[in-house]
Amino acid sequence: MRCLTSNKQLNKPNKNGGGEMQLVVKVGGWLGLILIEQWATRVCLTGLQAKSESAMMFLLGSGLIVLVGLVVGVGYICRQAWWQSVDHWRQVLCQGGMVLGGLVVISLIMVVIMHGIGQATTANQKNITDWVTSLRGWRQIWLFGHLIIIVPMLEELLFRGLFCRWFLGQHQRWQALVSAGAFASVHEMRLSLSWLLYFGAGLILACLYQRQHDLRLNWVVHSLYNGLSLI
């Protein structure tokens, strides 16, 4: 009887183990998508500065194919938050405008603080400025399009859409905090005023998505914010 009981216990499915394994797979997959997005973006930026036309076309083409594949794949997973209908456009637009204003205000406050301690801007913003000033003609236009259209779309899909779909669904406060921390860490690896700026922006965007569940609104606000930061 003891042996029979032991065999039954061994044959019982370990629900906790299965859940933990599923979580590990999701975390690994999500981090993998972030790394792929970062790599493809770097390939495109390298292609913009390539001297050879053939190298430029190859790098831009390969990087863009990966980015478009990410948009299509993750966009399909998050399709319910991407294609839902909006009944009250005025309320949605007002909320988006308030969030954009909040992002601008927090950025201005951080810029003032940075200037007060002798720091001109964030490291990420400095790199973007260097890229923009080093390019001319259509390459500069392409970079602007990438920063204003493609990057916000992918970041909203990954850091808001997919993250909120896969992780901490019953704990929205932690969900917003963790997603904002991951968003900040991608833009600034060390804890600093720059990290706090991106954390604040990520937290505001996460709260907007939790309230509206509309990635289109997040994308528009994020795109406008990126556009304003390039002026």
Side-chain angles (χ1 to χ4, degrees), residues 54-66:
S54 58
M56 176 194 65
M57 296 301 293
F58 173 76
L59 291 171
L60 282 178
S62 56
L64 193 59
I65 287 173
V66 174

Side-chain angles (χ1 to χ4, degrees), residues 82-171:
W82 193 255
W83 297 114
Q84 67 175 350
S85 60
V86 178
D87 297 326
H88 306 287
W89 277 103
R90 181 176 296 179
Q91 180 182 353
V92 170
L93 291 176
C94 288
Q95 183 118 37
M98 291 175 61
V99 168
L100 180 60
L103 291 173
V104 172
V105 169
I106 193 175
S107 297
L108 291 176
I109 292 173
M110 281 298 182
V111 167
V112 170
I113 295 175
M114 288 178 186
H115 278 284
I117 62 174
Q119 184 178 345
T121 183
T122 66
N124 183 67
Q125 188 65 36
K126 185 179 181 304
N127 290 333
I128 291 174
T129 302
D130 292 341
W131 278 100
V132 171
T133 55
S134 67
L135 299 174
R136 295 291 182 271
W138 71 267
R139 299 186 188 215
Q140 193 177 65
I141 296 174
W142 197 98
L143 180 60
F144 275 114
H146 182 84
L147 295 173
I148 295 175
I149 299 175
I150 299 176
V151 169
M153 182 187 296
L154 276 172
E155 288 184 347
E156 291 307 317
L157 283 169
L158 292 170
F159 288 100
R160 259 66 68 178
L162 194 60
F163 188 95
C164 291
R165 180 183 176 89
W166 278 0
F167 307 115
L168 301 169
Q170 303 301 319
H171 309 278

Side-chain angles (χ1 to χ4, degrees), residues 175-223:
Q175 186 182 76
L177 290 171
V178 175
S179 65
F183 179 75
S185 299
V186 167
H187 292 84
E188 178 70 37
M189 294 300 295
R190 60 188 180 87
L191 185 61
S192 62
L193 284 174
S194 300
W195 190 92
L196 290 176
L197 170 60
Y198 291 115
F199 177 81
L203 189 60
I204 291 173
L205 288 167
C207 291
L208 174 64
Y209 178 72
Q210 287 178 343
R211 187 176 180 84
Q212 295 293 336
H213 294 284
D214 192 338
L215 282 172
R216 294 168 298 180
L217 179 60
N218 271 64
W219 176 33
V220 170
V221 171
H222 196 157
S223 296

